[in-house]
């Protein structure tokens, strides 16, 4: 089971923001590797002993930003390409890179419902997380069609599962399970996935669905980008002392949510804009 996490009334320590405290902005590019010394400072511990190798950085953060990279070919032609993402800290420094690995035929035939493998790599381009989604029919009313995804670190070693939970009204619901497939967190999204000029929030709770633990937010990126591309930005927050494997599985949930609800959301934005202007 995962390590204890703060209850809803307990404050969560946040990372420093860019330019905070009146000092100079942090350098762009990759975040310092865990254990790397600050200028003139000592080498720190790389992370907990049971931490999968390459995920040590997750021990020191309670918030990450996932930015999908906009592909010019896809924006101008509509031809679906492999998705690419950057995982950033709150100072805009890159923590990981994520790359989808599916064939052209799968992307064209299956669209957003396609099975995928996503490689999440560190600054040495070494794979530290592997996400695997099998092909399943997308129908929230059928128990046998509920989506699932394995989170592996390293590839072949399962550390968690993201499972779609059944909902009678097709409200987005997911379970974050540990390596033993036991539910440690739940995710509930909104009924409507389109919110003009606003973020779309998925609440993360304890298994009782009452205790607030964190949040996954699909961030508004501007009207032009929302209408003409399916490149999305997400924010994910979790308690600082949450078990690293659970943090990694929550991060993996962002990608499944993106594919299931926002991979073709430019059409929904156009419909909502038309409704508001009629």
């Amino acid at each position: 089971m995962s390590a204890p996490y703060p209850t809803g009334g307990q404050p969560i320590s946040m990372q420093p923001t860019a330019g905070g405290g009146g000092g100079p902005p942090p350098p762009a590019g990759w975040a310092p590797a865990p254990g790397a010394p600050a200028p003139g400072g000592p080498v720190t511990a790389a992370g907990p002993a049971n931490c999968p190798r390459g995920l040590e950085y997750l021990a020191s953060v309670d918030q990450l930003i996932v930015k999908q990279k906009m592909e010019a070919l896809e924006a101008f032609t509509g031809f679906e390409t492999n998705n690419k993402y950057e995982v950033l800290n709150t100072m805009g420094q890159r923590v990981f890179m994520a790359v989808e690995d599916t064939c052209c035929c799968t992307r064209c035939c299956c669209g957003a419902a396609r099975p995928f493998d996503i490689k999440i790599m560190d600054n040495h381009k070494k794979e530290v997380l592997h996400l695997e989604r099998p092909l399943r029919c997308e129908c929230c009313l059928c128990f046998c069609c509920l989506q699932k995804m394995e989170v592996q670190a390293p590839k072949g070693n399962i550390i968690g599962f993201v499972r779609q939970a059944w909902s009678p009204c097709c409200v987005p619901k997911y379970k974050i399970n540990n390596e033993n497939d036991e539910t440690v967190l739940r995710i509930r999204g909104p009924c409507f996935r389109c919110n003009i000029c606003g973020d779309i929030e998925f609440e993360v709770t304890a298994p009782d669905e009452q205790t607030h633990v964190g949040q996954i937010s699909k961030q508004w990126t501007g009207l032009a980008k929302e209408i003409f591309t399916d490149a999305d930005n997400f924010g994910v927050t979790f308690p600082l002392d949450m078990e690293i494997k659970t943090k990694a599985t929550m991060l993996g949930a962002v990608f499944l949510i993106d594919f299931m609800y926002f991979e073709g959301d430019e059409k929904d934005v156009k419909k909502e804009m038309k409704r508001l202007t009629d």
Side-chain angles (χ1 to χ4, degrees), residues 17-165:
T17 55
W30 286 92
V43 176
T44 58
N50 62 344
C51 172
R53 189 168 185 180
L55 300 182
E56 294 85 358
Y57 187 83
L58 294 181
S60 62
V61 295
D62 54 17
Q63 183 174 356
L64 291 170
I65 299 166
V66 180
K67 296 183 65 175
Q68 184 176 352
K69 299 181 71 174
M70 187 168 59
E71 299 291 332
L73 176 63
E74 187 171 336
F76 287 105
T77 68
F79 179 80
E80 188 69 35
T81 60
N82 275 323
N83 287 355
K84 298 181 178 68
Y85 304 83
E86 291 181 317
V87 181
L88 312 173
N89 61 21
T90 55
M91 296 181 289
Q93 297 172 319
R94 188 183 302 154
V95 179
F96 302 114
M97 287 186 63
V99 180
E100 178 191 358
D101 184 16
T102 56
C103 68
C104 177
C105 181
T106 300
R107 295 195 304 272
C108 293
C109 295
C110 300
R114 62 187 180 266
F116 61 68
D117 288 271
I118 291 181
K119 301 176 181 179
I120 300 180
M121 298 171 286
D122 62 13
N123 58 344
H124 299 293
K125 295 187 177 181
K126 180 179 179 181
E127 185 176 6
V128 295
L129 267 178
H130 187 89
L131 311 179
E132 185 174 324
R133 176 198 187 186
L135 178 62
R136 286 192 171 190
C137 176
E138 286 194 321
C139 178
C140 62
L141 297 178
C142 183
F143 288 97
C144 64
C145 294
L146 297 177
Q147 300 292 306
K148 70 173 184 178
M149 185 179 70
E150 291 183 358
V151 181
Q152 306 170 9
K155 183 178 180 180
N157 179 47
I158 297 175
I159 64 169
F161 299 86
V162 182
R163 292 187 175 273
Q164 183 185 14

